[in-house]
Amino acid sequence: MDGPGRTDPQGVRAEGRGGRDSGTLVSSSMASPKKKLQGLVAATITPMTEHGEINFSVIGQYVDYLVKEQGVKNIFVNGTTGEGLSLSISERRRVAEEWVTKGRNKLDQVVIHVGALSLKESQELAQHAAEIGADGIAVIAPFFLKPWNKDVLINFLKEVAAAAPALPFYYYHIPALTGVKIRAEEVLDGIQEKIPTFQGLKFSDTDLLDFGQCVDQNRQRQFAFLFGVDEFCIQRFINFVVKLGFGVSQTKAIMTLVSGIPMGPPRLPLQKASREFTDNAEAKLRSLDFLSLNDLKDGNLEACS
């Protein structure tokens, strides 16, 4: 799950999932279908210094780690794992720019999460994503003043999508953090009639019935379904660390261990993973041969069908 921790290499096979460039051309007012999001998608961490500032200097190294060592070429930027909603708008813009720039000719798809509590801020971030050459945008439900039904939520998503009419649009469903309990299946019903650029769903919830119905009821559409929940990720290790307490802070500590890239601490109000957690996690990784065999490298991944 892209929040509160990692994502997971689990997914489903759905009919109509697209492959590479179909050669189909469409109006610039619609999202181009030439690239279909599929396979593993890394929910990226935002590296930070010990003082809580973004460490832009290691993002290029992070790209190379994903591509060369994990074989992953699709990323989801500024989501929950990336602490997107703990960053300022200017920071989110610069993080997006850095991933797009450093990933050019290396990454296949860079999807930017542009959700915010303010519609205007979401629109600004969506426009910026289009300007810098991102491959798609995703939006979380606003979670302070919440949409109380599907129609209100769709209206919010529609206004954001309209700010970047040439980009594929994804709905980011994570009710455990937003408190918005509108089922994803309900949101997807007829969504392309309201949002022509809608291309898929990022599903971060444990309600597998809801997820299964999303897939089953949209088999004739070429939607991408990204699925990632902590509890389904690398079972032996996750079962161990969940007992210790596991979230974004712990994800950063573990990724520092397995990648060698200094991910740094999270930003307040999150707290840095304790030394006890890091020591225990490292010992467990070594006992499972994860550090020596790099088997944990899929720990920040999710599957897209």
Side-chain angles (χ1 to χ4, degrees), residues 91-279:
E91 286 177 323
R92 291 176 70 173
R93 288 165 62 103
R94 188 174 170 195
V95 169
E97 291 167 6
E98 196 72 11
W99 278 104
V100 169
T101 300
K102 292 297 192 295
R104 190 164 291 126
N105 300 320
K106 295 180 180 180
L107 297 171
D108 289 341
Q109 296 243 14
V110 178
V111 177
I112 309 295
H113 172 241
V114 301
L117 299 184
S118 161
L119 173 61
K120 293 300 183 182
E121 288 183 349
S122 281
Q123 290 174 321
E124 175 188 332
L125 290 168
Q127 291 171 346
H128 176 258
E131 291 168 359
I132 64 176
D135 300 288
I137 56 173
V139 174
I140 197 171
F143 54 87
F144 183 67
L145 299 177
K146 298 180 179 67
W148 62 89
N149 61 33
K150 167 190 171 177
D151 291 338
V152 176
L153 174 58
I154 291 292
N155 285 340
F156 181 90
L157 300 177
K158 178 182 177 180
E159 291 298 318
V160 180
L167 287 186
F169 180 88
Y170 302 90
Y171 172 52
Y172 179 11
H173 180 69
I174 183 167
L177 292 187
T178 64
V180 176
K181 304 298 185 180
I182 304 166
R183 289 172 62 84
E185 171 199 4
E186 184 181 355
V187 176
L188 263 59
D189 184 21
I191 193 170
Q192 275 194 323
E193 297 172 6
K194 299 290 183 66
I195 306 175
T197 54
F198 181 81
Q199 293 290 304
L201 170 72
K202 177 173 167 55
F203 188 93
S204 294
D205 191 23
T206 57
D207 187 347
L208 297 185
L209 177 60
D210 188 17
F211 181 68
Q213 290 176 328
C214 288
V215 175
D216 186 64
Q217 295 179 15
N218 292 280
R219 289 186 178 276
Q220 303 306 313
R221 298 176 177 86
Q222 293 188 1
F223 290 164
F225 292 98
L226 288 77
F227 176 74
V229 178
D230 297 349
E231 289 79 359
F232 301 101
C233 175
I234 312 176
Q235 298 276 342
R236 287 182 297 168
F237 181 66
I238 294 300
N239 287 340
F240 174 77
V241 295
V242 162
K243 296 175 183 177
L244 301 178
F246 200 20
V248 172
S249 308
Q250 291 72 26
T251 299
K252 299 186 92 165
I254 290 169
M255 283 297 290
T256 297
L257 286 173
V258 301
S259 70
I261 302 170
M263 297 298 177
R267 180 168 287 178
L268 290 170
L270 297 180
Q271 299 293 311
K272 183 177 181 179
S274 68
R275 170 53 60 184
E276 179 183 9
F277 173 89
T278 304
D279 290 345

Side-chain angles (χ1 to χ4, degrees), residues 9-20:
Q10 295 286 333
V12 297
R13 189 177 300 276
E15 296 175 7
R17 66 175 186 176
R20 279 302 192 180

